[in-house]
Amino acid sequence: MNSKKIGTLLIAFAALTAFGATAQSQQGSAGQGIKQDAKAVGHGVADGARDVGHATRHVARKIGHGAKEAGTGIGHGAKKAGIAVGHGAREGWDATKRGVKQIFDKGN
């Protein structure tokens, strides 16, 4: 082989080697890009799930506290009603007792 053919072969071999290295690095960077995109999507999904969890917790607390306050209000209302009925019954008993005394004491 003469020097012209050897030079041409060396240039062709160098070009093939450079093309192979370029193609391999592009595939690696594409793989890295896919990996980074998947990681970013995973983080986005996790962040969204955390936000949903926090919102659910917030709503559950509001409902729980509202139910507690409603129960307390009902309990206090029932207590007040019971006291009012008791006072009314006592006043009614006292009025009946006074009326009976007035009726029976008048005749004496």
Side-chain angles (χ1 to χ4, degrees):
M1 279 197 178
N2 63 16
S3 64
K4 246 184 174 182
K5 285 184 179 180
I6 292 175
T8 306
L9 284 174
L10 284 175
I11 291 173
F13 182 70
L16 279 173
T17 306
F19 176 74
T22 304
Q24 189 175 13
S25 70
Q26 286 177 353
Q27 284 179 343
S29 67
Q32 282 292 78
I34 291 169
K35 186 195 261 185
Q36 288 173 350
D37 290 346
K39 186 177 178 182
V41 168
H43 283 295
V45 169
D47 291 344
R50 185 183 62 237
D51 292 344
V52 167
H54 286 172
T56 303
R57 176 178 157 220
H58 180 73
V59 168
R61 272 190 174 172
K62 285 289 186 186
I63 290 170
H65 288 175
K68 176 188 168 198
E69 290 173 8
T72 301
I74 290 169
H76 287 172
K79 177 184 172 188
K80 288 178 183 178
I83 290 172
V85 168
H87 284 255
R90 180 65 186 195
E91 289 173 5
W93 172 251
D94 289 342
T96 303
K97 197 166 63 171
R98 273 193 313 266
V100 169
K101 281 186 181 179
Q102 285 178 357
I103 290 171
F104 288 108
D105 284 344
K106 253 188 179 181
N108 283 342

Coordinates of all heavy atoms in Angstrom, one line a residue:
M1 N 0.8 -1.2 0.0 CA 0.0 0.0 0.0 C 0.9 1.2 0.0 O 1.9 1.3 0.7 CB -0.9 0.0 1.2 CG -2.1 -0.8 1.2 SD -3.0 -0.2 2.5 CE -4.4 -1.0 2.4
N2 N 0.4 2.2 -0.7 CA 1.2 3.4 -0.8 C 0.7 4.4 0.3 O -0.3 4.1 1.0 CB 1.2 4.0 -2.2 CG -0.2 4.4 -2.6 OD1 -1.1 4.5 -1.8 ND2 -0.3 4.6 -3.9
S3 N 1.4 5.4 0.4 CA 1.1 6.4 1.5 C -0.2 7.1 1.3 O -0.9 7.4 2.3 CB 2.3 7.4 1.6 OG 2.3 8.1 0.4
K4 N -0.6 7.3 0.0 CA -1.9 7.9 -0.2 C -3.0 7.0 0.3 O -4.0 7.5 0.9 CB -2.1 8.1 -1.7 CG -2.1 9.5 -2.1 CD -2.4 9.6 -3.6 CE -2.5 11.0 -4.0 NZ -2.8 11.2 -5.4
K5 N -3.0 5.7 0.0 CA -4.0 4.8 0.5 C -4.0 4.7 2.0 O -5.1 4.7 2.6 CB -3.8 3.4 -0.2 CG -4.2 3.4 -1.6 CD -4.1 2.0 -2.1 CE -4.6 1.9 -3.6 NZ -4.5 0.6 -4.1
I6 N -2.8 4.6 2.6 CA -2.7 4.5 4.1 C -3.3 5.8 4.7 O -4.1 5.8 5.7 CB -1.3 4.3 4.5 CG1 -0.9 2.9 4.0 CG2 -1.1 4.4 6.0 CD1 0.6 2.6 4.3
G7 N -3.0 7.0 4.1 CA -3.5 8.2 4.7 C -5.0 8.3 4.6 O -5.7 8.8 5.5
T8 N -5.6 7.8 3.4 CA -7.0 7.8 3.2 C -7.7 6.9 4.2 O -8.7 7.2 4.8 CB -7.4 7.4 1.8 OG1 -6.7 8.2 0.8 CG2 -8.8 7.5 1.5
L9 N -7.1 5.7 4.4 CA -7.6 4.8 5.4 C -7.5 5.3 6.8 O -8.5 5.2 7.6 CB -6.9 3.4 5.3 CG -7.2 2.5 4.2 CD1 -6.3 1.3 4.1 CD2 -8.7 2.1 4.3
L10 N -6.5 6.0 7.2 CA -6.3 6.6 8.5 C -7.4 7.7 8.7 O -8.0 7.8 9.8 CB -4.9 7.2 8.7 CG -3.8 6.1 9.0 CD1 -2.5 6.8 9.1 CD2 -4.1 5.4 10.3
I11 N -7.6 8.5 7.7 CA -8.6 9.6 7.8 C -10.0 9.0 7.9 O -10.8 9.4 8.8 CB -8.5 10.5 6.6 CG1 -7.2 11.3 6.6 CG2 -9.7 11.5 6.5 CD1 -7.0 12.2 5.4
A12 N -10.3 7.9 7.1 CA -11.6 7.3 7.2 C -11.8 6.6 8.6 O -12.9 6.7 9.2 CB -11.7 6.2 6.1
F13 N -10.7 6.0 9.1 CA -10.8 5.3 10.4 C -11.0 6.4 11.5 O -11.8 6.2 12.4 CB -9.5 4.5 10.7 CG -9.5 3.8 12.0 CD1 -10.4 2.7 12.2 CD2 -8.7 4.2 13.0 CE1 -10.4 2.0 13.4 CE2 -8.7 3.6 14.2 CZ -9.6 2.5 14.4
A14 N -10.3 7.5 11.4 CA -10.5 8.6 12.4 C -11.9 9.1 12.3 O -12.5 9.4 13.4 CB -9.4 9.7 12.1
A15 N -12.4 9.3 11.1 CA -13.8 9.8 11.0 C -14.8 8.8 11.6 O -15.7 9.3 12.3 CB -14.1 10.1 9.5
L16 N -14.6 7.5 11.3 CA -15.5 6.5 11.9 C -15.4 6.5 13.4 O -16.4 6.4 14.1 CB -15.2 5.1 11.3 CG -15.8 4.8 10.0 CD1 -15.2 3.5 9.5 CD2 -17.3 4.8 10.0
T17 N -14.2 6.6 13.9 CA -14.0 6.6 15.4 C -14.7 7.9 16.0 O -15.3 7.8 17.0 CB -12.5 6.6 15.7 OG1 -11.9 5.5 15.0 CG2 -12.3 6.5 17.2
A18 N -14.5 9.0 15.4 CA -15.1 10.3 15.9 C -16.6 10.2 15.8 O -17.3 10.6 16.8 CB -14.6 11.5 15.1
F19 N -17.1 9.7 14.7 CA -18.6 9.5 14.6 C -19.1 8.6 15.7 O -20.2 8.9 16.3 CB -18.9 9.0 13.2 CG -20.4 8.8 13.0 CD1 -21.3 9.9 12.9 CD2 -20.9 7.5 13.0 CE1 -22.6 9.7 12.7 CE2 -22.3 7.3 12.8 CZ -23.1 8.4 12.7
G20 N -18.4 7.5 15.9 CA -18.9 6.5 16.9 C -18.9 7.1 18.3 O -19.8 7.0 19.1
A21 N -17.8 7.9 18.6 CA -17.7 8.5 19.9 C -18.8 9.6 20.1 O -19.5 9.7 21.1 CB -16.4 9.2 20.1
T22 N -19.1 10.3 19.0 CA -20.1 11.4 19.1 C -21.5 10.7 19.2 O -22.3 11.2 20.1 CB -20.1 12.2 17.8 OG1 -18.8 12.7 17.6 CG2 -21.2 13.3 17.8
A23 N -21.8 9.7 18.5 CA -23.1 9.0 18.6 C -23.2 8.4 20.0 O -24.3 8.5 20.6 CB -23.2 7.9 17.6
Q24 N -22.2 7.8 20.5 CA -22.3 7.2 21.9 C -22.5 8.3 22.9 O -23.3 8.1 23.8 CB -21.0 6.5 22.2 CG -21.1 5.6 23.4 CD -19.9 4.8 23.7 OE1 -18.9 5.0 23.0 NE2 -20.0 3.8 24.6
S25 N -21.9 9.5 22.8 CA -22.0 10.5 23.8 C -23.4 11.1 23.7 O -24.0 11.5 24.7 CB -21.0 11.6 23.7 OG -21.2 12.3 22.5
Q26 N -24.0 11.2 22.5 CA -25.3 11.7 22.3 C -26.3 10.8 23.0 O -27.3 11.2 23.6 CB -25.6 11.9 20.9 CG -25.0 13.2 20.3 CD -25.2 13.3 18.8 OE1 -25.8 12.4 18.2 NE2 -24.8 14.4 18.2
Q27 N -26.1 9.5 22.8 CA -27.0 8.5 23.4 C -27.0 8.6 24.9 O -28.0 8.6 25.6 CB -26.7 7.1 23.0 CG -27.1 6.8 21.6 CD -26.7 5.4 21.2 OE1 -25.9 4.7 21.8 NE2 -27.3 4.8 20.2
G28 N -25.8 8.8 25.5 CA -25.6 9.0 26.9 C -26.3 10.2 27.4 O -27.0 10.2 28.4
S29 N -26.2 11.3 26.7 CA -26.8 12.5 27.1 C -28.3 12.4 27.0 O -29.0 13.0 27.8 CB -26.3 13.7 26.3 OG -26.6 13.7 25.0
A30 N -28.8 11.7 25.9 CA -30.2 11.5 25.8 C -30.7 10.7 27.0 O -31.8 10.9 27.5 CB -30.5 10.8 24.5
G31 N -30.0 9.7 27.3 CA -30.3 8.8 28.5 C -30.4 9.6 29.8 O -31.3 9.5 30.6
Q32 N -29.4 10.5 29.9 CA -29.3 11.4 31.1 C -30.5 12.3 31.1 O -31.1 12.6 32.1 CB -28.0 12.2 31.1 CG -26.8 11.4 31.6 CD -26.9 11.0 33.0 OE1 -27.6 10.1 33.4 NE2 -26.2 11.7 33.8
G33 N -30.8 12.9 29.9 CA -32.0 13.8 29.8 C -33.3 13.1 30.2 O -34.1 13.6 30.9
I34 N -33.5 11.8 29.7 CA -34.7 11.1 30.1 C -34.7 10.8 31.6 O -35.7 10.9 32.2 CB -34.7 9.8 29.2 CG1 -35.0 10.1 27.8 CG2 -35.8 8.8 29.8 CD1 -34.8 8.9 26.8
K35 N -33.5 10.4 32.1 CA -33.4 10.1 33.5 C -33.8 11.4 34.3 O -34.5 11.3 35.3 CB -32.0 9.6 33.9 CG -31.9 9.2 35.3 CD -30.4 9.1 35.7 CE -29.9 7.7 35.6 NZ -28.5 7.6 36.1
Q36 N -33.2 12.5 34.0 CA -33.5 13.8 34.7 C -35.0 14.2 34.6 O -35.6 14.6 35.5 CB -32.6 14.9 34.2 CG -31.2 14.7 34.6 CD -30.2 15.7 34.0 OE1 -30.6 16.4 33.1 NE2 -29.0 15.7 34.5
D37 N -35.6 14.0 33.3 CA -37.0 14.3 33.2 C -37.8 13.4 34.0 O -38.8 13.9 34.6 CB -37.4 14.2 31.7 CG -36.8 15.2 30.8 OD1 -36.3 16.3 31.4 OD2 -36.8 15.1 29.6
A38 N -37.5 12.1 34.1 CA -38.3 11.2 34.9 C -38.2 11.6 36.4 O -39.2 11.5 37.1 CB -37.8 9.8 34.7
K39 N -37.0 12.0 36.8 CA -36.8 12.4 38.1 C -37.6 13.6 38.5 O -38.2 13.7 39.5 CB -35.3 12.6 38.4 CG -34.9 12.9 39.8 CD -33.4 13.1 39.9 CE -33.0 13.4 41.3 NZ -31.5 13.6 41.4
A40 N -37.6 14.6 37.5 CA -38.4 15.8 37.8 C -39.9 15.5 37.8 O -40.6 16.0 38.7 CB -38.1 16.8 36.6
V41 N -40.4 14.6 37.0 CA -41.8 14.2 37.0 C -42.1 13.5 38.3 O -43.1 13.8 39.0 CB -42.1 13.3 35.8 CG1 -43.5 12.6 36.0 CG2 -42.1 14.1 34.5
G42 N -41.2 12.6 38.8 CA -41.4 12.0 40.1 C -41.5 13.0 41.2 O -42.3 12.8 42.1
H43 N -40.6 14.0 41.2 CA -40.6 15.0 42.2 C -42.0 15.8 42.1 O -42.6 16.1 43.2 CB -39.5 16.0 42.1 CG -38.2 15.4 42.6 ND1 -38.0 15.1 44.0 CD2 -37.0 15.1 42.0 CE1 -36.8 14.6 44.1 NE2 -36.2 14.6 42.9
G44 N -42.4 16.1 40.9 CA -43.7 16.8 40.8 C -44.8 16.0 41.3 O -45.7 16.6 42.0
V45 N -44.9 14.7 41.0 CA -45.9 13.9 41.5 C -45.9 13.8 43.0 O -46.9 13.9 43.7 CB -45.8 12.5 40.9 CG1 -46.8 11.5 41.6 CG2 -46.2 12.5 39.4
A46 N -44.7 13.7 43.6 CA -44.6 13.6 45.0 C -45.0 14.9 45.7 O -45.7 14.9 46.7 CB -43.1 13.3 45.4
D47 N -44.6 16.0 45.1 CA -45.0 17.3 45.6 C -46.5 17.5 45.6 O -47.2 18.0 46.5 CB -44.4 18.5 44.9 CG -42.8 18.5 45.1 OD1 -42.4 17.9 46.1 OD2 -42.1 19.2 44.4
G48 N -47.1 17.1 44.5 CA -48.6 17.1 44.3 C -49.3 16.3 45.3 O -50.3 16.7 46.0
A49 N -48.8 15.1 45.6 CA -49.4 14.2 46.5 C -49.3 14.7 47.9 O -50.2 14.7 48.7 CB -48.7 12.8 46.5
R50 N -48.1 15.4 48.2 CA -48.0 16.0 49.6 C -49.0 17.1 49.8 O -49.6 17.3 50.8 CB -46.5 16.5 49.7 CG -46.3 17.0 51.1 CD -44.9 17.6 51.3 NE -44.7 18.7 50.4 CZ -43.7 18.8 49.5 NH1 -42.8 17.8 49.4 NH2 -43.6 19.8 48.7
D51 N -49.1 17.9 48.7 CA -50.1 19.0 48.8 C -51.5 18.5 49.0 O -52.3 19.1 49.8 CB -50.0 19.9 47.5 CG -48.7 20.7 47.4 OD1 -48.0 20.8 48.4 OD2 -48.4 21.1 46.3
V52 N -51.9 17.4 48.3 CA -53.2 16.8 48.5 C -53.4 16.3 49.9 O -54.4 16.5 50.6 CB -53.4 15.7 47.5 CG1 -54.7 14.9 47.8 CG2 -53.6 16.3 46.1
G53 N -52.3 15.7 50.4 CA -52.3 15.2 51.8 C -52.5 16.3 52.8 O -53.3 16.2 53.8
H54 N -51.8 17.4 52.6 CA -52.0 18.6 53.5 C -53.4 19.2 53.4 O -54.0 19.6 54.4 CB -50.9 19.7 53.2 CG -49.5 19.3 53.6 ND1 -48.4 20.0 53.3 CD2 -49.1 18.2 54.3 CE1 -47.3 19.4 53.8 NE2 -47.7 18.4 54.4
A55 N -53.9 19.3 52.2 CA -55.3 19.8 52.0 C -56.3 18.9 52.7 O -57.2 19.4 53.4 CB -55.6 20.0 50.5
T56 N -56.1 17.6 52.6 CA -57.0 16.7 53.2 C -57.0 16.8 54.7 O -58.0 16.8 55.4 CB -56.7 15.2 52.8 OG1 -56.7 15.1 51.4 CG2 -57.6 14.2 53.4
R57 N -55.8 16.9 55.2 CA -55.6 17.1 56.7 C -56.3 18.4 57.2 O -57.0 18.4 58.2 CB -54.1 17.1 57.0 CG -53.8 17.4 58.4 CD -52.3 17.4 58.6 NE -51.9 18.1 59.8 CZ -50.9 18.9 59.9 NH1 -50.0 19.0 58.9 NH2 -50.7 19.6 61.0
H58 N -56.1 19.4 56.4 CA -56.7 20.7 56.7 C -58.2 20.6 56.8 O -58.9 21.1 57.7 CB -56.3 21.8 55.7 CG -56.8 23.2 56.0 ND1 -56.3 23.9 57.0 CD2 -57.7 23.9 55.4 CE1 -57.0 25.1 57.0 NE2 -57.9 25.1 56.0
V59 N -58.8 20.0 55.7 CA -60.3 19.8 55.7 C -60.8 19.0 56.8 O -61.8 19.3 57.5 CB -60.7 19.2 54.3 CG1 -62.1 18.8 54.3 CG2 -60.4 20.3 53.2
A60 N -60.0 17.9 57.1 CA -60.4 17.0 58.2 C -60.4 17.7 59.5 O -61.3 17.5 60.4 CB -59.5 15.8 58.2
R61 N -59.4 18.5 59.7 CA -59.4 19.3 61.0 C -60.5 20.3 61.1 O -61.1 20.4 62.1 CB -58.1 20.1 61.0 CG -56.9 19.4 61.6 CD -55.8 20.3 61.9 NE -54.7 19.6 62.6 CZ -53.6 20.2 62.8 NH1 -53.3 21.4 62.4 NH2 -52.6 19.5 63.5
K62 N -60.8 21.0 60.0 CA -62.0 21.9 60.0 C -63.3 21.2 60.3 O -64.1 21.7 61.1 CB -62.1 22.6 58.6 CG -61.1 23.7 58.4 CD -61.3 24.9 59.2 CE -60.3 26.0 58.9 NZ -60.4 27.1 59.8
I63 N -63.5 20.0 59.7 CA -64.7 19.2 59.9 C -64.7 18.8 61.4 O -65.7 18.9 62.1 CB -64.8 18.1 59.0 CG1 -65.1 18.6 57.5 CG2 -65.9 17.1 59.4 CD1 -64.9 17.5 56.5
G64 N -63.6 18.3 61.9 CA -63.5 17.8 63.2 C -63.8 18.9 64.2 O -64.5 18.7 65.2
H65 N -63.2 20.0 64.0 CA -63.4 21.2 65.0 C -64.8 21.7 64.9 O -65.4 22.1 65.9 CB -62.4 22.3 64.7 CG -61.0 21.9 65.1 ND1 -59.9 22.7 64.8 CD2 -60.4 20.9 65.8 CE1 -58.8 22.2 65.3 NE2 -59.1 21.1 65.9
G66 N -65.3 21.7 63.6 CA -66.7 22.2 63.5 C -67.7 21.2 64.2 O -68.6 21.7 64.9
A67 N -67.4 19.9 64.1 CA -68.3 18.9 64.8 C -68.2 19.1 66.3 O -69.1 19.0 67.0 CB -67.9 17.5 64.3
K68 N -66.9 19.3 66.7 CA -66.7 19.5 68.2 C -67.5 20.7 68.7 O -68.2 20.7 69.7 CB -65.2 19.7 68.5 CG -64.9 20.0 69.9 CD -63.5 20.3 70.1 CE -63.3 20.9 71.5 NZ -62.0 21.6 71.6
E69 N -67.4 21.8 67.9 CA -68.1 23.0 68.4 C -69.6 22.9 68.3 O -70.3 23.4 69.2 CB -67.6 24.2 67.5 CG -66.2 24.6 67.8 CD -65.7 25.7 66.8 OE1 -66.5 26.2 66.0 OE2 -64.5 26.0 66.8
A70 N -70.1 22.2 67.3 CA -71.5 21.9 67.2 C -72.0 21.1 68.3 O -73.0 21.3 68.9 CB -71.8 21.3 65.8
G71 N -71.2 20.0 68.7 CA -71.6 19.2 69.8 C -71.5 19.9 71.1 O -72.4 19.8 71.9
T72 N -70.5 20.8 71.3 CA -70.5 21.6 72.5 C -71.6 22.5 72.6 O -72.3 22.7 73.6 CB -69.1 22.4 72.5 OG1 -68.1 21.4 72.4 CG2 -69.0 23.2 73.8
G73 N -72.0 23.1 71.4 CA -73.1 24.1 71.4 C -74.4 23.3 71.7 O -75.2 23.8 72.5
I74 N -74.6 22.1 71.1 CA -75.8 21.4 71.4 C -75.8 21.0 72.9 O -76.9 21.1 73.6 CB -75.9 20.1 70.5 CG1 -76.1 20.6 69.1 CG2 -76.9 19.2 71.0 CD1 -76.0 19.5 68.0
G75 N -74.7 20.5 73.4 CA -74.6 20.1 74.8 C -74.9 21.3 75.7 O -75.7 21.2 76.7
H76 N -74.3 22.4 75.4 CA -74.6 23.6 76.3 C -76.0 24.1 76.2 O -76.7 24.5 77.2 CB -73.6 24.8 75.9 CG -72.2 24.5 76.3 ND1 -71.2 25.3 76.0 CD2 -71.7 23.5 77.1 CE1 -70.1 24.9 76.5 NE2 -70.3 23.8 77.2
G77 N -76.6 24.0 74.9 CA -78.0 24.3 74.8 C -78.9 23.4 75.5 O -79.9 23.9 76.2
A78 N -78.6 22.1 75.5 CA -79.4 21.2 76.3 C -79.3 21.4 77.8 O -80.3 21.3 78.5 CB -78.9 19.7 75.9
K79 N -78.1 21.8 78.2 CA -77.9 22.1 79.6 C -78.7 23.3 80.0 O -79.4 23.3 81.0 CB -76.4 22.3 79.9 CG -76.1 22.7 81.3 CD -74.6 23.1 81.5 CE -74.4 23.7 82.9 NZ -73.0 24.2 83.0
K80 N -78.7 24.3 79.2 CA -79.4 25.5 79.5 C -80.9 25.3 79.5 O -81.7 25.8 80.3 CB -79.1 26.6 78.5 CG -77.7 27.3 78.6 CD -77.5 28.3 77.6 CE -76.0 28.9 77.7 NZ -75.7 29.8 76.7
A81 N -81.4 24.4 78.5 CA -82.8 24.1 78.4 C -83.2 23.3 79.7 O -84.3 23.5 80.2 CB -83.1 23.3 77.2
G82 N -82.3 22.4 80.1 CA -82.6 21.6 81.3 C -82.7 22.4 82.5 O -83.6 22.3 83.3
I83 N -81.8 23.4 82.6 CA -81.8 24.3 83.8 C -83.1 25.1 83.7 O -83.8 25.3 84.7 CB -80.6 25.2 83.8 CG1 -79.3 24.3 84.1 CG2 -80.7 26.4 84.7 CD1 -78.0 25.0 84.0
A84 N -83.5 25.6 82.5 CA -84.7 26.5 82.4 C -85.9 25.6 82.7 O -86.8 26.2 83.4 CB -84.8 27.0 80.9
V85 N -86.0 24.4 82.3 CA -87.1 23.5 82.6 C -87.2 23.3 84.1 O -88.2 23.4 84.7 CB -87.0 22.2 81.8 CG1 -88.0 21.2 82.4 CG2 -87.3 22.4 80.4
G86 N -86.0 23.1 84.7 CA -85.9 22.9 86.1 C -86.4 24.1 86.9 O -87.2 24.0 87.9
H87 N -85.9 25.3 86.5 CA -86.4 26.5 87.1 C -87.9 26.7 86.9 O -88.6 27.2 87.9 CB -85.6 27.7 86.6 CG -84.2 27.8 87.1 ND1 -83.8 28.7 88.0 CD2 -83.1 27.0 86.8 CE1 -82.5 28.5 88.3 NE2 -82.0 27.5 87.5
G88 N -88.3 26.5 85.7 CA -89.8 26.6 85.4 C -90.6 25.7 86.3 O -91.6 26.1 86.8
A89 N -90.1 24.4 86.4 CA -90.8 23.5 87.3 C -90.8 23.9 88.7 O -91.8 23.8 89.4 CB -90.2 22.1 87.1
R90 N -89.7 24.4 89.1 CA -89.6 24.9 90.5 C -90.5 26.1 90.8 O -91.2 26.2 91.8 CB -88.1 25.3 90.8 CG -87.9 25.8 92.2 CD -88.1 24.7 93.2 NE -88.0 25.3 94.6 CZ -87.9 24.5 95.6 NH1 -87.9 23.2 95.5 NH2 -87.8 25.1 96.8
E91 N -90.5 27.0 89.8 CA -91.4 28.2 89.9 C -92.9 27.8 89.9 O -93.7 28.3 90.7 CB -91.1 29.2 88.8 CG -89.8 29.9 89.0 CD -89.5 30.8 87.8 OE1 -90.3 30.9 86.8 OE2 -88.4 31.4 87.8
G92 N -93.2 26.8 89.0 CA -94.5 26.3 89.0 C -94.9 25.6 90.3 O -96.0 25.8 90.8
W93 N -94.0 24.8 90.9 CA -94.3 24.2 92.2 C -94.5 25.2 93.3 O -95.4 25.1 94.1 CB -93.1 23.3 92.5 CG -93.2 22.7 93.9 CD1 -92.5 23.0 95.0 CD2 -94.2 21.8 94.4 NE1 -92.9 22.3 96.1 CE2 -93.9 21.5 95.7 CE3 -95.3 21.1 93.8 CZ2 -94.7 20.7 96.5 CZ3 -96.0 20.2 94.6 CH2 -95.7 20.0 95.9
D94 N -93.6 26.2 93.3 CA -93.8 27.3 94.3 C -95.1 28.0 94.1 O -95.8 28.3 95.1 CB -92.6 28.3 94.2 CG -91.3 27.7 94.7 OD1 -91.3 26.7 95.4 OD2 -90.2 28.3 94.3
A95 N -95.5 28.3 92.9 CA -96.8 29.0 92.7 C -97.9 28.1 93.1 O -98.9 28.6 93.7 CB -96.9 29.3 91.2
T96 N -97.8 26.8 92.8 CA -98.9 25.9 93.2 C -99.0 25.8 94.7 O -100.1 25.9 95.3 CB -98.7 24.5 92.6 OG1 -98.6 24.6 91.2 CG2 -99.8 23.5 93.0
K97 N -97.8 25.8 95.4 CA -97.8 25.7 96.8 C -98.4 27.0 97.4 O -99.2 26.9 98.4 CB -96.3 25.5 97.2 CG -96.2 25.0 98.7 CD -94.7 24.5 99.0 CE -93.7 25.6 98.8 NZ -92.4 25.2 99.3
R98 N -98.0 28.1 96.9 CA -98.5 29.4 97.4 C -100.1 29.4 97.2 O -100.8 29.9 98.1 CB -97.9 30.6 96.7 CG -96.6 31.0 97.3 CD -96.2 32.4 96.8 NE -96.3 32.5 95.3 CZ -95.2 32.2 94.5 NH1 -94.1 31.9 95.0 NH2 -95.4 32.3 93.2
G99 N -100.5 29.0 96.0 CA -101.9 29.1 95.8 C -102.7 28.2 96.7 O -103.8 28.5 97.2
V100 N -102.2 27.0 96.9 CA -102.9 26.0 97.8 C -102.9 26.6 99.2 O -103.9 26.5 99.9 CB -102.2 24.6 97.8 CG1 -102.7 23.7 98.9 CG2 -102.4 24.0 96.4
K101 N -101.8 27.2 99.7 CA -101.8 27.8 101.0 C -102.8 28.9 101.1 O -103.5 29.0 102.2 CB -100.3 28.3 101.4 CG -99.4 27.2 101.8 CD -98.1 27.8 102.2 CE -97.1 26.7 102.6 NZ -95.8 27.2 103.0
Q102 N -102.8 29.7 100.1 CA -103.8 30.9 100.2 C -105.2 30.4 100.2 O -106.0 30.9 101.0 CB -103.6 31.8 98.9 CG -102.3 32.6 99.0 CD -102.1 33.5 97.8 OE1 -102.9 33.3 96.8 NE2 -101.1 34.3 97.8
I103 N -105.5 29.3 99.4 CA -106.9 28.8 99.4 C -107.2 28.2 100.8 O -108.3 28.5 101.4 CB -107.1 27.8 98.3 CG1 -107.0 28.5 96.9 CG2 -108.4 27.0 98.4 CD1 -107.0 27.6 95.8
F104 N -106.4 27.4 101.3 CA -106.7 26.6 102.5 C -106.5 27.5 103.7 O -107.2 27.3 104.7 CB -105.9 25.3 102.6 CG -106.4 24.3 101.7 CD1 -105.6 23.9 100.6 CD2 -107.6 23.7 101.8 CE1 -106.1 23.0 99.7 CE2 -108.1 22.7 101.0 CZ -107.3 22.4 99.9
D105 N -105.6 28.5 103.7 CA -105.4 29.3 104.8 C -106.5 30.4 104.9 O -106.8 30.9 106.0 CB -104.0 30.1 104.8 CG -102.9 29.1 105.2 OD1 -103.2 28.1 105.8 OD2 -101.7 29.5 104.8
K106 N -107.2 30.7 103.8 CA -108.2 31.7 103.8 C -109.4 31.2 104.6 O -110.1 32.0 105.3 CB -108.7 32.0 102.4 CG -108.2 33.3 101.9 CD -108.9 33.5 100.5 CE -108.5 34.8 100.0 NZ -109.0 35.2 98.8
G107 N -109.7 29.9 104.5 CA -110.9 29.4 105.2 C -110.7 29.3 106.7 O -111.7 29.3 107.4
N108 N -109.5 29.3 107.2 CA -109.3 29.2 108.6 C -109.6 30.5 109.3 O -109.5 31.4 109.7 CB -107.9 28.7 109.0 CG -107.8 27.2 108.7 OD1 -108.8 26.6 108.6 ND2 -106.6 26.8 108.6

